[in-house]
Amino acid sequence: MENLRKLSVISFTERGKSLSEVIRSRMEDTEVSLYTKHGGRQEQEDGKDVVFVESSVGQWAGEQMEQGNAIVFIGACGIGVRAVAPYITDKLRDSPVLVMDEAGRYVIPVLSGHMGGANELACRLAGETGAEPVITTATDINGRFAVDLFAKRNGLFIVNRQGIARVSSKALDGRRIVCSVETGHFMEGCRAMEGVDLADYPPRQPVDVVVTSESGDFGGTVLLRPKEYVIGLGCRKGKSAGEIGAFILREIGKMGISLEQIWGLASISQKSREPGIVEWCRKERVLFVTYDPEELRDVEGEFHGSAFVEKTVGVDNVCERAALKACGPGGKLVYGKQGENGITIAAARREWLVDFDGGQNGA
């Protein structure tokens, strides 16, 4: 599985630069790029050095957010706030933004704490550097149910975001949250968390949260739908993010599904660093998973095989097999292999389950 969330760290002093280097050394499983406004221009060596930012901090921040990268400012909180302010667009899609002081005492998530994962990243950075995470989201500090975090952890997308604040306000007032989940989609042994009651499905009473893949008006304050689909993709080397994205959007449009319904994109391990795929997935906040040829060969089913593909990458079909592999048990191929201009695509529907204790089924 690929962790596509690139972490970009910018410093403004020598001490801050040193802290950024500590962060990179401690987070070996994450792609960390270091930048600074301190000192003069620096040459890169094998991509390991700190890169001097010649543009304004605001322009740099805009570029990072456009790419979907997580950002850590090592410096005053005001610097980070002013830098990202012009580029904030959507609380469900904005990049996570954090601030650390140059002494490494505190790490503060300032944007996209839940959906972007800034709170979790703050705790990770704190654990790696010895800093203290300063979490300010009310549901977290009060130990209350957070519907947006629940959605993220369980691979759900929020249909009516205007209801988030109403549900959070109710939880913070100490009132119980009532949830109705489509029958058959609880994880084994799942129980509602403290402060949450479960109602029958379909709900026969007013409820706060409805989780379902079915269409209809359920009357919930917040409606959550599962990201049910996995896109399998194969492509010729060098395909751009624009080409890949246009093809994906056109094909899922034929399927009658939206980008919000996509749980992830799957391919073969040889494509794990394919720039066009990686860039598109980062920008669209789509999980990217890859599998070795041996893993794909073990996937059972009837596929549109190709002797040329098998000779080239070691398995006769990438897109269909990868889509099913990523689904796990119960997955079904719903859109067979389609190809154009060196890109192939397929789609599978996964079995989805929810859990109130962490959620192991999310993107």
Side-chain angles (χ1 to χ4, degrees):
M1 181 178 292
E2 295 299 319
N3 178 7
L4 286 178
R5 181 71 82 181
K6 177 182 174 182
L7 178 59
S8 297
V9 185
I10 187 167
S11 59
F12 303 91
T13 64
E14 188 63 37
R15 193 177 185 186
K17 190 191 303 183
S18 296
L19 177 57
S20 72
E21 292 170 339
V22 170
I23 291 172
R24 182 169 59 188
S25 68
R26 301 280 174 83
M27 300 186 69
E28 296 182 350
D29 62 342
T30 302
E31 183 181 350
V32 181
S33 295
L34 306 186
Y35 303 85
T36 190
K37 291 291 286 183
H38 175 69
R41 182 177 179 86
Q42 302 199 14
E43 297 297 326
Q44 288 180 277
E45 297 178 4
D46 300 323
K48 295 296 184 180
D49 282 347
V50 182
V51 178
F52 181 75
V53 177
E54 296 185 329
S55 64
S56 69
V57 179
Q59 182 179 334
W60 174 86
E63 293 169 353
Q64 300 304 314
M65 295 185 77
E66 172 66 22
Q67 295 169 28
N69 300 333
I71 304 173
V72 176
F73 292 90
I74 301 181
C77 211
I79 295 175
V81 171
R82 283 191 292 270
V84 303
Y87 310 102
I88 298 172
T89 58
D90 185 340
K91 70 171 290 180
L92 302 184
R93 291 178 56 82
D94 284 332
S95 294
V97 177
L98 303 91
V99 173
M100 292 187 74
D101 63 285
E102 66 172 33
R105 295 173 182 168
Y106 304 103
V107 52
I108 310 167
V110 296
L111 184 68
S112 204
H114 283 166
M115 296 304 288
N119 288 1
E120 293 176 339
L121 180 55
C123 293
R124 168 78 191 278
L125 286 168
E128 298 291 356
T129 64
E132 180 178 349
V134 181
I135 309 299
T136 59
T137 41
T139 50
D140 290 82
I141 63 176
N142 288 286
R144 305 295 187 183
F145 174 75
V147 66
D148 51 351
L149 188 57
F150 170 77
K152 178 188 176 183
R153 288 177 172 174
N154 284 282
L156 309 168
F157 70 94
I158 301 169
V159 176
N160 50 341
R161 68 179 62 196
Q162 67 274 12
I164 298 174
R166 291 170 57 193
V167 173
S168 296
S169 178
K170 184 175 179 180
L172 290 169
D173 286 344
R175 292 179 287 164
R176 302 189 70 79
I177 303 300
V178 181
C179 296
S180 177
V181 179
E182 185 179 330
T183 305
H185 291 280
F186 277 119
M187 284 190 180
E188 185 177 353
C190 172
R191 293 179 296 178
M193 65 180 290
E194 184 178 350
V196 176
D197 293 327
L198 298 180
D200 292 337
Y201 180 88
R204 300 180 178 86
Q205 65 186 77
V207 297
D208 300 296
V209 180
V210 177
V211 184
T212 182
S213 62
E214 298 179 341
S215 58
D217 182 6
F218 299 94
T221 304
V222 172
L223 176 61
L224 304 177
R225 295 199 184 280
K227 298 181 178 183
E228 289 186 274
Y229 297 93
V230 175
I231 297 298
L233 192 80
C235 74
R236 193 164 57 226
K237 185 177 180 180
K239 286 294 177 180
S240 70
E243 290 178 283
I244 291 168
F247 186 58
I248 290 174
L249 292 177
R250 191 186 74 193
E251 295 303 310
I252 66 174
K254 293 178 182 178
M255 296 169 56
I257 65 175
S258 66
L259 191 59
E260 288 79 13
Q261 292 173 274
I262 304 302
W263 177 83
L265 186 148
S267 190
I268 195 166
S269 56
Q270 288 95 316
K271 295 297 176 182
S272 64
R273 301 296 177 185
E274 183 66 34
I277 300 177
V278 171
E279 180 183 341
W280 184 82
C281 288
R282 278 182 174 152
K283 184 175 181 180
E284 298 298 337
R285 279 56 164 182
V286 172
L287 179 70
F288 182 32
V289 294
T290 61
Y291 303 98
D292 293 333
E294 296 78 11
E295 295 178 284
L296 295 182
R297 283 199 298 268
D298 289 340
V299 177
E300 297 182 355
E302 296 184 3
F303 306 104
H304 295 85
S306 164
F308 174 76
V309 172
E310 184 168 20
K311 181 179 179 180
T312 304
V313 299
V315 63
D316 64 349
N317 177 291
V318 171
C319 59
E320 293 175 337
R321 289 178 178 273
L324 272 180
K325 177 67 176 177
C327 284
K332 296 181 179 179
L333 195 66
V334 295
Y335 194 70
K337 177 182 176 181
Q338 303 291 321
E340 182 179 284
N341 295 329
I343 309 173
T344 59
I345 194 174
R349 182 188 290 117
R350 71 189 186 102
E351 289 285 346
W352 59 275
L353 298 168
V354 299
D355 185 6
F356 285 89
D357 185 22
Q360 302 302 311
N361 201 39

